[in-house]
Amino acid sequence: GEDVEQSLFLSVREGDSSVINCTYTDSSSTYLYWYKQEPGAGLQLLTYIFSNMDMKQDQRLTVLLNKKDKHLSLRIADTQTGDSAIYFCAESRGSGGGADGLTFGKGTHLIIQP
Amino acid sequence: DSGVTQTPKHLITATGQRVTLRCSPRSGDLSVYWYQQSLDQGLQFLIQYYNGEERAKGNILERFSAQQFPDLHSELNLSSLELGDSALYFCASSVGYGRDEQFFGPGTRLTVL
């Protein structure tokens, strides 16, 4: 199966860390992505991780990958109001035959409380 | 701005009609992908073209078709439209295929009445 699952909502206080979780089912997935979608806008690639990595850090963003549990998380440090958006987890096997298209989760709405 | 452009931004049409959505990839990108985003189905991959040839198919209906032209722009044709086809249609592009990063356009919002 190719389902990618995320919780629909996450509410955090401004300045706290946000942790958005994702589970995927396809063990052959080679690349896992986090995209951000702001209201009325397209998708912006935030970061990605190869399946042979456990962690990737990029400024305020930290991605953790647990291959055994097929669990991916995105941590946003010092969450700001500008981080309010929908965050999508996506996977790609990157081997053709339909696998070039990304499989997305339903997205997590990140709500920032002042 | 991702460098991917899509026209039109909004489209309102009636059931049974046919529409064409257009996408221009980033300069230098050879792959174009089409995705559909709807409330009930979420974001779904429809189809991919690479350098003018169809490379991969996802959940694309038979009423839908696409092509990529020699100048690398792509068109998605939706025919015999139904109410359930109302959605945001995104185009993305990448340099090649497989593991290459996909850059998304702003989308075309289609409303079928």
Side-chain angles (χ1 to χ4, degrees), chain A residues 59-77:
Chain A
Q59 298 182 329
R60 291 193 297 126
L61 305 179
T62 303
V63 179
L64 293 177
L65 176 59
N66 180 328
K67 289 183 284 294
K68 176 175 165 290
D69 296 335
K70 298 192 186 70
H71 182 266
L72 183 73
S73 68
L74 173 70
R75 178 177 180 269
I76 305 172

Side-chain angles (χ1 to χ4, degrees), chain A residues 29-90:
Chain A
S29 292
T30 56
Y31 297 88
L32 296 143
Y33 304 83
W34 285 103
Y35 279 85
K36 176 183 180 183
Q37 185 179 31
E38 295 180 86
L43 286 92
Q44 174 196 354
L45 178 65
L46 287 178
T47 187
Y48 61 92
I49 189 167
F50 299 159
S51 60
N52 62 357
M53 296 168 67
D54 297 321
M55 186 182 100
K56 181 178 180 181
Q57 187 151 6
D58 184 1
Q59 298 182 329
R60 291 193 297 126
L61 305 179
T62 303
V63 179
L64 293 177
L65 176 59
N66 180 328
K67 289 183 284 294
K68 176 175 165 290
D69 296 335
K70 298 192 186 70
H71 182 266
L72 183 73
S73 68
L74 173 70
R75 178 177 180 269
I76 305 172
D78 187 25
T79 309
Q80 303 297 310
T81 53
D83 295 324
S84 181
I86 304 174
Y87 290 81
F88 291 92
C89 170

Side-chain angles (χ1 to χ4, degrees), chain A residues 19-30:
Chain A
V19 180
I20 303 170
N21 294 301
C22 167
T23 57
Y24 60 99
T25 57
D26 194 333
S27 58
S28 65
S29 292
T30 56

